[in-house]
Amino acid sequence: FVTAIDHVGIAVPDLDAAIEFHRTHFGLEVAHEEVNEEQGVREAMLRAPGTAGTETQIQLLAPLREDSAIGKFLAKSGPGLQQLAYRVSDVDAAAAALREKGLRMLYEEAKRGTSNSRVNFVHPKDAGGVLVELVEPAKDATAH
Ligand code: V0V
């Protein structure tokens, strides 16, 4: 049911500094930026220049609060890779299928992710130490 690697998420202490780093060193461009209060993040989606936005993106995640998922991750592990996100066409069906196989999903119901996508997560302890996100893009999303 995975249709693509949607994005790889990196926890950063300072979003603007991280955007500048990726622009200067790798030539990546900001495709999208938003604040997600529920998740406690300020985030940016970066892409290679000239790509349409359907390719795998890099998501920079900065904490809004110390007790957020990213705040805790930074305190414990420092900056670095925090998540791997798979694109799916139906996040509820994908979560149900994984639960059926005995994996713990973090949310009972999907929550709102970037650009009005719907997201859920597999517990990292059930996925080989990787926080796996499932992303169902918004139906009208041309890029996300
Ligand atoms: C924690 N652990 C991880 C991990 N975070 N392992 C791999 N990758 C990570 N990102 C390990 C941790 O080292 C512990 O291992 C164990 O899991 C339990 O961790 P914990 O300290 O007890 O739990 P917390 O409080 O740190 O919570 C971890 C979880 C939390 C994964 C439950 O981060 C969470 O709810 N994440 C989902 C939401 C999220 O990440 N939001 C921010 C992105 P040991 O020490 O016991 O061996 S928002 C987003 O992606 C959006 C909006 C989007 O894409 O659209």
Side-chain angles (χ1 to χ4, degrees):
F1 52 75
V2 171
T3 60
I5 297 172
D6 191 87
H7 64 266
V8 174
I10 302 175
V12 304
D14 180 330
L15 190 68
D16 296 323
I19 289 172
E20 186 57 17
F21 176 85
H22 284 81
R23 191 185 66 75
T24 308
H25 294 86
F26 305 120
L28 300 184
E29 297 173 342
V30 175
H32 178 77
E33 239 185 281
E34 77 177 66
V35 170
N36 186 323
E37 284 289 347
E38 184 184 24
Q39 290 291 338
V41 292
R42 204 182 140 216
E43 52 130 322
M45 283 293 193
L46 306 187
R47 66 183 179 206
T51 59
T54 53
E55 292 80 1
T56 307
Q57 300 191 339
I58 297 298
Q59 183 181 41
L60 301 177
L61 296 154
L64 292 177
R65 322 178 268 276
E66 278 181 16
D67 67 351
S68 62
I70 299 301
K72 287 192 208 165
F73 183 91
L74 286 172
K76 187 170 181 184
S77 309
L81 289 182
Q82 188 258 350
Q83 58 171 263
L84 167 64
Y86 290 130
R87 195 176 305 159
V88 298
S89 48
D90 182 339
V91 69
D92 301 315
L98 293 175
R99 276 195 202 98
E100 185 80 8
K101 293 183 193 301
L103 271 57
R104 281 170 294 171
M105 300 302 301
L106 292 183
Y107 306 140
E108 203 60 49
E109 301 281 339
K111 292 187 190 270
R112 198 188 70 78
T114 307
S115 301
N116 292 320
S117 57
R118 298 177 67 241
V119 303
N120 206 334
F121 294 83
V122 181
H123 194 287
K125 292 298 178 190
D126 290 354
V130 178
L131 176 61
V132 173
E133 180 181 344
L134 305 177
V135 187
E136 176 188 324
K139 294 289 176 264
D140 60 354
T142 48
H144 57 95

